[in-house]
Amino acid sequence: MSSGSQPGTSTIVSKLSGHCVKLVMPSLLNGLDGKTWRTKTGSIEVLGSKAALAPKQLSLSLPTIIPRLCEVLTDTHIKVQESAKQALNEFGSVIKNPEIQELVPELLEALVDPNENTQPALTALLETSFVHYIDSPSLALIVPILQRGLIERVTETKKRAAQIMGQMAILTDQKDLIPYLHILLPGPKEVLVDPVPVACAIASHALGSMFAKLGEGNFPGLVGELFVPLKSETSAVDRSGAAQGLSEVLAGAGIPRLESLLPDTLNNAMSPCTYVREGFITLLVFLPATFGDSFHHTLEASFRQFCAALQTKLTLFVKLP
């Protein structure tokens, strides 16, 4: 496809229905794996022209398109790299959020060179005061940067990425955020076991905020997954991180969900197995802080069992020779 055909391509693509977009998308994505640079650039140019799609079709396509464009930014052929950068610029040009519009250059730099520019982009996002919702094209550029930030070795970078993720729960529309959950969730779950407590706390709060915004139906198995380390003979850091993350998630779910799980939690807090008892007592320590005043409905029973567990532990300790 020649560069001169691009305006015509944009016009045609803008008329596509949602069903047509779904039909052509696999072929275009397969073209990115083509053997020749011309095949790749042709597919990239058509993908870039999807910026002209109607908002509904665009929001459905972006979670698939942007990650693949980021992949070909590292292609060995300079023409492919340049086409990918141009396509990303086209998506940046349709961003409606005025705060993100000003940050598009920094965001694109982070996508092109994540090693050097992820942290500056995260800093720019944190220092921005948002007064408008983050639209779908904005999310498409931000999410890959958050994904990268959450797996960085530097704790400060992980903290910033998790903090922004928590803010997105407030600043985005539910329907725009849901398609990115499978990309975003692994990151904060990894940060839960970070040895730095502040990083763990921020990641926990981000998980809880997303859970409260989108509902448990969009996080199948997450509650059960966070219970597993509490019953496992793993490190104390892992148990503490899971307990803190679970407390924030349950706070997002609300008191009724906590009440349904409380009997089992209290029973496990009295477990004869030391590491199980430790895991669930840690959860009971976090719950009052995350639930705040709303926790008074269950505080009395929790405190009684908590004290009994401590008494048992102290009695066993005194009896040791």
Side-chain angles (χ1 to χ4, degrees):
M1 179 180 292
S2 66
S3 58
S5 67
Q6 187 66 16
T9 303
S10 298
T11 302
I12 294 170
V13 169
S14 68
K15 306 297 183 182
L16 292 178
S17 66
H19 179 65
C20 289
V21 170
K22 289 181 180 179
L23 289 177
V24 301
M25 185 72 74
S27 296
L28 295 173
L29 295 177
N30 288 337
L32 299 181
D33 299 319
K35 294 182 179 180
T36 69
W37 68 267
R38 293 183 186 278
T39 300
K40 294 178 181 179
T41 55
S43 293
I44 291 169
E45 287 178 7
V46 178
L47 287 171
S49 69
K50 287 184 180 291
L53 285 170
K56 183 177 181 180
Q57 279 77 36
L58 182 62
S59 64
L60 293 173
S61 302
L62 286 174
T64 304
I65 294 174
I66 298 299
R68 291 303 310 274
L69 289 177
C70 291
E71 289 175 12
V72 294
L73 283 170
T74 58
D75 192 89
T76 55
H77 201 290
I78 188 64
K79 293 282 189 182
V80 177
Q81 296 176 24
E82 290 175 352
S83 292
K85 292 177 185 177
Q86 177 59 33
L88 289 171
N89 271 303
E90 288 173 21
F91 287 112
S93 68
V94 299
I95 286 174
K96 295 180 180 179
N97 180 290
E99 294 86 28
I100 297 295
Q101 278 181 338
E102 295 184 8
L103 299 179
V104 166
E106 288 95 330
L107 299 179
L108 292 178
E109 286 175 5
L111 294 175
V112 172
D113 188 357
N115 290 330
E116 292 294 327
N117 297 315
T118 294
Q119 185 152 319
L122 294 173
T123 301
L125 285 167
L126 276 178
E127 292 177 350
T128 301
S129 298
F130 289 95
V131 294
H132 301 86
Y133 252 30
I134 298 176
D135 57 347
S136 183
S138 300
L139 267 181
L141 298 186
I142 294 171
V143 167
I145 299 171
L146 294 185
Q147 183 185 25
R148 174 61 185 244
L150 288 165
I151 61 172
E152 285 281 347
R153 293 183 178 181
V154 180
T155 298
E156 186 61 34
T157 304
K158 289 189 283 190
K159 284 167 50 182
R160 293 179 188 184
Q163 191 172 347
I164 294 167
M165 180 177 166
Q167 292 175 352
M168 286 200 311
I170 303 171
L171 296 169
T172 57
D173 191 284
Q174 186 177 29
K175 64 177 174 52
D176 292 333
L177 190 55
I178 288 174
Y180 294 100
L181 283 182
H182 71 286
I183 299 174
L184 288 172
L185 274 182
K189 288 195 287 188
E190 285 293 321
V191 183
L192 288 181
V193 297
D194 193 282
V196 178
V198 175
C200 177
I202 294 173
S204 298
H205 185 69
L207 272 179
S209 298
M210 299 282 275
F211 200 92
K213 169 85 171 186
L214 303 177
E216 188 168 356
N218 287 301
F219 299 85
L222 179 61
V223 172
E225 182 181 342
L226 292 173
F227 266 117
V228 170
L230 304 187
K231 299 180 180 180
S232 303
E233 195 172 4
T234 182
S235 71
V237 171
D238 287 0
R239 283 194 294 273
S240 177
Q244 189 166 13
L246 183 57
S247 69
E248 292 281 0
V249 165
L250 291 178
I255 283 289
R257 186 70 170 106
L258 172 63
E259 289 177 336
S260 72
L261 297 168
L262 194 59
D264 185 59
T265 298
L266 296 176
N267 286 335
N268 280 289
M270 298 294 294
S271 171
C273 183
T274 304
Y275 59 82
V276 174
R277 188 168 64 246
E278 176 187 312
F280 282 86
I281 288 176
T282 305
L283 175 59
L284 290 174
V285 169
F286 282 121
L287 286 173
T290 52
F291 274 85
D293 293 339
S294 62
F295 191 70
H296 75 274
H297 296 292
T298 52
L299 181 58
E300 183 179 355
S302 299
F303 186 73
R304 185 169 60 250
Q305 294 289 343
F306 180 56
C307 289
L310 284 178
Q311 184 178 7
T312 301
K313 190 173 183 179
L314 288 172
T315 302
L316 290 173
F317 177 76
V318 169
K319 289 181 178 179
L320 287 175

